[in-house]
Amino acid sequence: MEALLLLWLLFAVVYDFRQRRVPNWLVLAGAVMALAALAIGEAPFGQDWTSALLGAAVGFGFLLIFHLIGLMGAGDVKFAGALGLWVGLSALAPIWIISSVLAAMHGLLWLALQRWPMSPRLALFLFGQPISSDGKTSTRRTRFIPYAAYLATATAVWMVWGRQSL
């Protein structure tokens, strides 16, 4: 089941970086696969039903606050809920910390490119919009950090290195 989880995470990274959205079908597929893994006793993080359902509720509920105040897209929130099913409650905190550090680095790079546009192609990749020669970005998108992609990346990192310390 770890291979399915990694494949799902990879799809999330690609979609979120390229389109700055996580499609509902991808969130639903991840949730269904997580429930199937739980049903057959093959959850990659070894969590039980209670931990998985709490992880989904906390993942969704906590990020919902950020969505409601306009700081995060709905796809990121739904993705966090489905991710909580996969990883359970205990792994959410380290995954959030890692993903938040990555998102903060993304934001700092955005600020640096605002002041000194080194590469329009880099800006297009990172932010989904070009930075003009005067250093201004278009205001058509307010959510330029692909947080679901960073949640997915942090989960893969936690799968490889984080569980070794437990």
Side-chain angles (χ1 to χ4, degrees):
M1 282 295 176
E2 287 186 4
L4 279 178
L5 172 57
L6 287 172
L7 183 62
W8 180 66
L9 296 173
L10 178 63
F11 272 100
V13 168
V14 170
Y15 266 95
D16 206 17
F17 262 116
R18 294 193 71 181
Q19 298 180 8
R20 292 304 188 270
R21 60 183 295 274
V22 181
N24 287 335
W25 67 263
L26 185 59
V27 172
L28 185 60
V32 167
M33 288 187 294
L35 292 171
L38 284 164
I40 63 172
E42 293 292 326
F45 284 72
Q47 76 277 12
D48 60 8
W49 280 94
T50 303
S51 177
L53 294 174
L54 281 172
V58 170
F60 183 86
F62 184 70
L63 293 187
L64 181 62
I65 296 166
F66 292 99
H67 172 68
L68 293 175
I69 60 176
L71 297 176
M72 185 169 289
D76 298 327
V77 177
K78 293 180 278 188
F79 181 80
L83 182 64
L85 283 173
W86 276 108
V87 303
L89 185 59
S90 63
L92 277 182
I95 288 170
W96 271 337
I97 291 168
I98 295 166
S99 61
S100 295
V101 167
L102 293 172
M105 290 170 37
H106 184 117
L108 290 173
L109 183 57
W110 178 77
L111 288 173
L113 287 176
Q114 285 266 332
R115 295 192 184 279
W116 182 48
M118 295 177 283
S119 169
R121 286 182 188 234
L122 178 61
L124 183 61
F125 174 73
L126 289 175
F127 314 117
Q129 56 195 355
I131 293 179
S132 64
S133 60
D134 64 354
K136 302 287 186 202
T137 59
S138 166
T139 58
R140 68 179 173 83
R141 272 200 184 128
T142 58
R143 295 177 193 103
F144 61 91
I145 295 178
Y147 196 68
Y150 291 130
L151 282 170
T153 303
T155 303
V157 167
W158 185 251
M159 286 176 71
V160 174
W161 288 293
R163 292 188 297 171
Q164 293 176 1
S165 63
L166 295 178

